[in-house]
Amino acid sequence: MSLWSAILLAALICLALKAAGYLVPPRVLEAPRTARISDLLTVALLAALVAVQTFGDGQAITVDARVPALLVAGGLLWLRQSFLVVVVAAALVAALLRVFGLAA
């Protein structure tokens, strides 16, 4: 199976899943349990994306300047700082660690 065949197959599966979503009755989607699972699934997928982008390097796990930057960002979010402050502080930590050669 070529790469383009796999991409086309994945696109068709996504389209079929989206079309199948219109067949689900609204009362099922509005149930409290479904809403709670949907909210938790969104957070879990976002956390997985952050973990993969922070620790992943192809097929290997790597620890570099992104890890302390993520810890700083998490701490600032916990302290309820604004998003702009969090992003700037995390970028500054990563940049300084790389400039001084303390992290790759």
Side-chain angles (χ1 to χ4, degrees):
M1 177 186 262
S2 73
L3 178 63
W4 286 109
S5 298
I7 291 171
L8 183 60
L9 180 63
L12 289 173
I13 291 171
C14 288
L15 182 65
L17 284 171
K18 184 157 179 86
Y22 289 110
L23 301 175
V24 177
R27 63 179 166 76
V28 173
L29 297 175
E30 294 168 357
R33 185 175 191 180
T34 306
R36 192 175 80 238
I37 290 172
S38 173
D39 289 343
L40 293 176
L41 188 61
T42 304
V43 172
L45 288 172
L46 181 59
L49 177 65
V50 169
V52 167
Q53 292 297 316
T54 301
F55 298 112
D57 186 21
Q59 295 291 327
I61 294 176
T62 185
V63 177
D64 58 8
R66 293 175 290 184
V67 176
L70 183 64
L71 292 173
V72 167
L76 290 173
L77 285 172
W78 185 65
L79 294 172
R80 300 197 183 273
Q81 294 298 314
S82 71
F83 185 71
L84 185 60
V85 170
V86 170
V87 170
V88 169
L92 186 63
V93 165
L96 289 175
L97 287 173
R98 288 181 175 142
V99 164
F100 291 119
L102 299 173

